[in-house]
Amino acid sequence: LENMTTAAGFPLFASKPHFYDADDALLLGVEGMNPIQEHHDTYVDFEPITGVAMRAAKRLQINNVLFNLPTVAGGAVEGYELKKHFPDY
């Protein structure tokens, strides 16, 4: 998890998708997270003789802090259940 708040000017964080490789406590805050290495990790495959990059994937998730907000229309995002209580900062 990378804190980008100073650069952005508001609470903003970058991570691997589904908080892959992050502290397990982050997974507890969002329902529907299922980190899988094959789907969520960043990698580069190099050809061993020439050193040329043959295949690569950079996977990134941008996160921001949510405060207690009014109920969102519809109440949910497909595949995820919205939390009802957010921490007060």
Side-chain angles (χ1 to χ4, degrees):
L1 186 67
E2 181 70 30
N3 186 346
M4 300 169 42
T5 301
T6 302
F10 57 91
L12 188 69
F13 303 87
S15 68
K16 292 181 182 179
H18 289 252
F19 297 117
Y20 178 75
D21 276 344
D23 190 290
D24 288 339
L26 291 171
L27 295 174
L28 300 177
V30 182
E31 294 179 18
M33 295 287 103
N34 185 23
I36 300 170
Q37 181 178 11
E38 294 80 25
H39 297 157
H40 304 121
D41 204 5
T42 296
Y43 64 85
V44 178
D45 291 340
F46 293 98
E47 197 282 324
I49 304 298
T50 63
V52 172
M54 301 298 289
R55 184 174 71 140
K58 173 63 179 166
R59 293 161 175 156
L60 184 66
Q61 173 178 304
I62 302 298
N63 312 282
N64 63 335
V65 176
L66 296 177
F67 300 97
N68 285 322
L69 300 171
T71 304
V72 177
V77 176
E78 184 176 330
Y80 298 95
E81 183 174 322
L82 296 179
K83 291 288 188 181
K84 307 253 188 260
H85 304 285
F86 294 96
D88 293 319
Y89 291 92

